[in-house]
Amino acid sequence: AGITTDPWVEAATVTTELPSSVHVKIVEREARLITSIGTKLYLVDTKGNIFKEVSESDPGDLPVVTGIEPAAITKDREGVKLRLRRVIDLVADLEHDKVAARYPIQEIHANADGGLRAIIGSDGIVLELGLPPYRTKIAKANRILGELRFRAAMPDIIFLDNRVHPERVVVRMRGDQSKTAKR
């Protein structure tokens, strides 16, 4: 029969029950991210699947993921899916620690080395997170952001990516060209 494919439908099952019943079960996708690939924007579901190009009627208030190259999708679709799932986990951690409530997530950049950079808040504060795990790094960022907010100070970048000394965090303040405020 005429089956149409709707990108919002993740799965559909039809079962019949004799003598005259038909049951239809539809599982819809939930958009979690927008990813910028080449010159186009695509929606990403909660499992890391890129499922459709963004249109005017789609949600536009989702975090945007950058750093995914079009060639990567062709070469290693599963690898791209894993990178997007890492971003989804990071977004969930930022929401869990209430960072995203005060500083909405604007963009997550997936670096070529597998690390992540988050740009948060209306002022575009950069959290240089590096490689996982992220929970401890996000908790540190939350404490630092709270302290800086208390001091009415505006950070530009918070470096949480020191592999040799993960306990060290470096903050570069707005208008400062050198890394300052070591913690």
Side-chain angles (χ1 to χ4, degrees):
I3 296 177
T4 60
T5 56
D6 183 333
W8 287 99
V9 175
E10 183 175 344
T13 54
V14 178
T15 55
T16 56
E17 188 178 311
L18 296 176
S20 61
S21 295
V22 175
H23 300 277
V24 178
K25 180 180 177 185
I26 296 175
V27 178
E28 286 187 300
R29 294 183 194 273
E30 177 187 340
R32 187 70 169 121
L33 305 169
I34 294 173
T35 187
S36 172
I37 301 172
T39 59
K40 296 184 178 183
L41 298 174
Y42 297 90
L43 291 176
V44 178
D45 69 12
T46 56
K47 295 177 183 174
N49 296 303
I50 299 168
F51 69 96
K52 79 176 282 293
E53 190 172 347
V54 174
S55 65
E56 277 188 32
S57 61
D58 292 331
D61 59 346
L62 300 169
V64 175
V65 180
T66 58
I68 305 289
E69 297 296 324
I73 294 171
T74 307
K75 286 184 208 169
D76 185 13
R77 192 169 194 83
E78 280 303 308
V80 169
K81 185 176 175 179
L82 287 172
R83 288 174 74 189
L84 290 169
R85 284 211 315 253
R86 182 179 288 169
V87 172
I88 290 166
D89 291 344
L90 173 64
V91 169
D93 288 346
L94 287 165
E95 290 170 347
H96 179 266
D97 276 19
K98 309 291 189 242
V99 174
R102 186 170 295 277
Y103 302 95
I105 304 163
Q106 306 299 322
E107 178 184 331
I108 305 287
H109 182 79
N111 298 327
D113 68 357
L116 298 177
R117 176 188 318 126
I119 301 170
I120 61 171
S122 58
D123 293 316
I125 299 167
V126 176
L127 301 180
E128 194 64 61
L129 295 157
L131 297 170
Y134 296 117
R135 286 229 167 131
T136 304
K137 294 176 182 183
I138 291 168
K140 285 179 192 175
N142 200 13
R143 287 192 304 273
I144 291 165
L145 288 165
E147 178 67 25
L148 293 172
R149 192 172 54 253
F150 176 76
R151 295 179 185 189
M154 179 56 69
D156 189 30
I157 302 175
I158 301 175
F159 294 91
L160 300 145
D161 60 345
N162 190 328
R163 289 186 200 168
V164 178
H165 296 284
E167 73 282 0
R168 292 187 185 167
V169 175
V170 176
V171 178
R172 182 167 55 202
M173 303 304 289
R174 283 278 147 92
D176 186 3
Q177 297 306 310
S178 64
K179 294 180 182 178
T180 59
K182 291 185 180 182
R183 287 186 61 111

